[in-house]
């Protein structure tokens, strides 16, 4: 772990509402208090529409809370910043730029491009895209495009990596590969990682800590520390017991029809 005690996110009394066309409002998050501590791998899981993406976008600084504050290492988050890397479910690559150019584009909005461009090949290698530097996004598989998005978020050595269902659109096989790849990168670089997923197995396989959110307005229903050794075995009795436990919590947090969504 290279980042000694950096990347601590503190969420204090955060409330976020969205105005509705009818003049009302949706309370997405109500009075959330939580700390994401340095170097952890946190999986956020909860019913669809409960506010997981909202929480991630607040940490990213893309939106601001109505009440409460979010701090990174003691400093209030008021806007996006390069020390917080973000990857969404759908790769957001520029179609007219190559893999190399897309990744290079992430470099602190190009201000430090000249000094830091030597590091780009290292990140291309880290995500396993060597040989595809000159490819365009349409020439990549979904998994490769997500690798490029990941590299673009990593080029700035973020203290915090925010992943919003980054593997949700991938087939099961690619997804399991990417889970291992992301874990390898996290183990190597040690940034605090917050990953939204609706896949319980993915959460247990990857996280050091699983945060289960309740239906909207979201509150934190349960925090589960996962101490199983790695690589984790999906058919291990401890794994299966944790799966059953989380599904049970989610059953109370959401509604029954939604159970299918987590499997
Ligand atoms: N920009 C927005 N405008 C209006 N409502 C929003 C906006 N973003 C999110 N919401 C609402 O806030 C709630 C939480 O959304 P979201 O955080 O996307 O949930 P999740 O990621 O857990 O599925 C939902 O009811 C959603 O419709
Ligand atoms: Mg979402």
């Amino acid at each position: 772990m290279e980042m000694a005690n950096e990347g601590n996110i503190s969420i204090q009394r955060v409330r976020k509402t969205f105005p509705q066309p009818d003049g009302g409002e949706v309370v997405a998050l109500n009075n959330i208090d939580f700390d994401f501590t340095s170097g952890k791998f946190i999986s956020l899981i909860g019913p669809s529409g409960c506010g997981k993406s909202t929480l991630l976008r607040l940490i990213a600084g893309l939106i601001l809370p109505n009440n409460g504050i979010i701090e990174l290492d003691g400093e209030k988050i008021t806007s996006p910043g390069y020390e917080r890397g973000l990857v969404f479910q759908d790769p957001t690559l520029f179609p007219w730029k190559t893999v190399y150019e897309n990744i290079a584009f992430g470099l602190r909005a190009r201000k430090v491009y000249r000094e830091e461009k030597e590091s780009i090949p290292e990140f291309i290698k880290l995500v396993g895209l060597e040989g595809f530097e000159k490819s365009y996004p349409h020439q990549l598989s979904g998994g490769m495009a997500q690798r490029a998005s990941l590299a673009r978020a990593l080029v700035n050595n973020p203290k915090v990596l925010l992943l919003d269902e980054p593997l949700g659109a991938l087939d099961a096989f690619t997804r399991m590969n990417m889970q291992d790849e992301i874990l390898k990168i996290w183990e190597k670089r040690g940034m605090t990682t917050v990953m939204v997923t609706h896949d319980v197995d993915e959460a247990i396989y990857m996280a050091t800590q699983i945060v289960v959110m309740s239906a909207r307005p979201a509150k934190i229903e349960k925090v589960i520390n996962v101490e199983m050794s790695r690589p984790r075995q999906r058919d291990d009795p401890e794994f299966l017991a944790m799966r059953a436990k989380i599904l049970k919590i989610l059953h109370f947090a959401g509604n029954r029809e939604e159970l299918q969504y987590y499997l």
Side-chain angles (χ1 to χ4, degrees), residues 76-97:
K76 189 172 170 183
I77 293 171
T78 54
S79 62
Y82 62 81
E83 76 291 345
R84 282 161 284 138
L86 186 58
V87 179
F88 298 99
Q89 174 165 339
D90 298 310
T92 46
L93 301 171
F94 297 113
W96 62 88
K97 288 181 188 286

Side-chain angles (χ1 to χ4, degrees), residues 18-20 26 28 47-55 57 216 261:
F18 294 105
Q20 292 298 98
V26 169
S48 177
C50 79
K52 304 179 293 295
S53 296
T54 301
L55 186 55
R57 289 167 66 217
R216 190 166 52 79
Y261 168 82

Side-chain angles (χ1 to χ4, degrees), residues 8 17 35-36 92 120 129 136 147 157 169 172 189-190 195 203:
N8 286 294
T17 64
D35 288 341
F36 295 118
T92 46
I120 294 169
L129 281 177
Y136 286 88
R147 288 166 192 270
N157 290 308
R189 308 194 72 89
M195 176 166 168

Side-chain angles (χ1 to χ4, degrees), residues 53 56 86-95 102 137 140-150 152-153 162-171 178 196 198:
S53 296
L56 225 58
L86 186 58
V87 179
F88 298 99
Q89 174 165 339
D90 298 310
T92 46
L93 301 171
F94 297 113
N102 265 290
L140 304 176
S141 66
M144 288 161 80
Q146 270 314 45
R147 288 166 192 270
S149 300
L150 191 58
R152 190 177 55 189
L162 304 168
L163 307 170
D164 196 353
E165 307 204 33
L167 312 181
L170 305 177
D171 64 88
M178 290 286 291
V196 172
H198 61 244

Side-chain angles (χ1 to χ4, degrees), residues 204 225-229 233-244:
I204 303 170
N225 292 315
V226 190
E227 276 144 16
M228 275 176 264
S229 59
Q233 304 301 323
R234 291 176 173 83
D235 56 355
D236 186 274
E238 201 181 340
F239 195 108
L240 295 173
M242 187 164 282
R243 185 175 195 260

